[in-house]
Amino acid sequence: AQSVTQPDIHITVSEGASLELRCNYSYGATPYLFWYVQSPGQGLQLLLKYFSGDTLVQGIKGFEAEFKRSQSSFNLRKPSVHWSDAAEYFCAGKDSSYKLIFGSGTRLLVRP
Amino acid sequence: EPEVTQTPSHQVTQMGQEVILRCVPISNHLYFYWYRQILGQKVEFLVSFYNNEISEKSEIFDDQFSVERPDGSNFTLKIRSTKLEDSAMYFCASSRPDKNTEAFFGQGTRLTVV
């Protein structure tokens, strides 16, 4: 069955430190992949997306993600975290249907 | 920038009552969705809607749920007889009909069933 897995429930980093949030997918073929961010009490904002082509994709707020087919991964990275990045991050995928399958989310805490 | 809007932001209802959650998708989008997120859990797909009919639904979307596009702008989710376990954040989303496009989400409606 199709699935998206985020192995880390919580991650804490210091402000200014680098960040990597892990995401693995299980699909029959390469899915379309997304990262969304949800701030407390807010909706889901798209950070970036991968459809095809260049495996390193740039998003908003200084985030990037790298698609690695060999590892079935689409990890989200940021070189220097800001306190305002504290939020919940969701990886999601979809195949030829329009349905998004979300991972369980990773809550990012930022230490001052 | 166009956005998906949802009303109300919060809804409290008694068990057994009917609720209607409302959404205004982005105007040139043709695919519409409802997702829900039970507190502390992942976001789950409920239903997708295209060309005035359901195109896909999950096992969660049983006979208690229905969707409608009553006019050219609104997209609604009705829960016929709410249960305690329907308490969740409900997100509406919309997208263009292309496969390689993203869904844009509204801010959500927090539904509390008491």
Side-chain angles (χ1 to χ4, degrees):
Chain A
Q2 301 155 343
S3 67
V4 174
T5 304
Q6 294 178 247
D8 303 305
I9 299 173
H10 295 99
I11 282 193
T12 302
V13 299
S14 298
E15 191 168 16
S18 63
L19 170 70
E20 182 167 25
L21 302 183
R22 296 185 290 165
C23 172
N24 294 98
Y25 65 87
S26 175
Y27 277 81
T30 299
Y32 302 128
L33 294 163
F34 309 84
W35 275 98
Y36 285 87
V37 61
Q38 184 182 30
S39 298
Q42 302 296 308
L44 296 161
Q45 182 182 23
L46 180 71
L47 284 176
L48 46 77
K49 60 195 177 190
Y50 172 77
F51 294 140
S52 64
D54 195 346
T55 56
L56 185 64
V57 293
Q58 303 296 321
I60 63 170
K61 304 184 180 187
F63 285 92
E64 67 178 26
E66 185 170 13
F67 170 71
K68 291 186 178 179
R69 186 191 307 275
S70 62
Q71 297 176 19
S72 298
S73 69
F74 187 58
N75 295 348
L76 181 72
R77 301 194 296 245
K78 186 169 184 178
S80 178
V81 167
H82 187 261
W83 63 266
S84 60
D85 293 324
E88 184 128 26
Y89 292 80
F90 291 95
C91 183
K94 70 172 184 174
D95 55 12
S96 56
S97 82
Y98 286 82
K99 175 179 72 177
L100 278 169
I101 295 175
F102 283 84
S104 51
T106 298
R107 182 165 297 281
L108 173 66
L109 304 173
V110 180
R111 276 193 299 257
Chain B
E1 185 176 322
E3 60 181 17
V4 176
T5 57
Q6 291 185 241
T7 54
S9 55
H10 293 89
Q11 173 97 41
V12 180
T13 189
Q14 290 202 322
M15 193 168 51
Q17 295 296 302
E18 174 184 286
V19 293
I20 297 177
L21 309 183
R22 302 180 191 279
C23 169
V24 179
I26 294 173
S27 61
N28 63 345
H29 286 182
L30 298 179
Y31 260 91
F32 314 119
Y33 315 84
W34 285 101
Y35 289 79
R36 80 171 185 191
Q37 183 184 30
I38 295 172
L39 188 64
Q41 298 186 24
K42 66 167 68 176
V43 179
E44 302 172 289
F45 169 80
L46 291 179
V47 65
S48 60
F49 189 87
Y50 173 70
N51 202 24
N52 279 321
E53 61 183 24
I54 290 173
S55 58
E56 191 172 0
K57 62 182 181 179
S58 71
E59 60 276 8
I60 303 168
F61 194 88
D62 62 21
D63 292 343
Q64 291 298 311
F65 292 89
S66 62
V67 289
E68 191 179 29
R69 187 147 164 87
D71 52 43
S73 59
N74 290 283
F75 178 54
T76 62
L77 173 70
K78 182 194 289 187
I79 309 175
R80 223 174 311 277
S81 176
T82 50
K83 303 188 281 285
L84 294 176
E85 54 264 38
D86 294 326
S87 296
M89 179 76 93
Y90 288 82
F91 291 106
C92 175
S94 69
S95 70
R96 297 195 315 267
D98 316 300
K99 296 282 186 181
N100 58 340
T101 185
E102 67 269 32
F104 291 82
F105 284 79
Q107 294 293 92
T109 293
R110 179 160 297 287
L111 176 66
T112 303
V113 182
V114 297

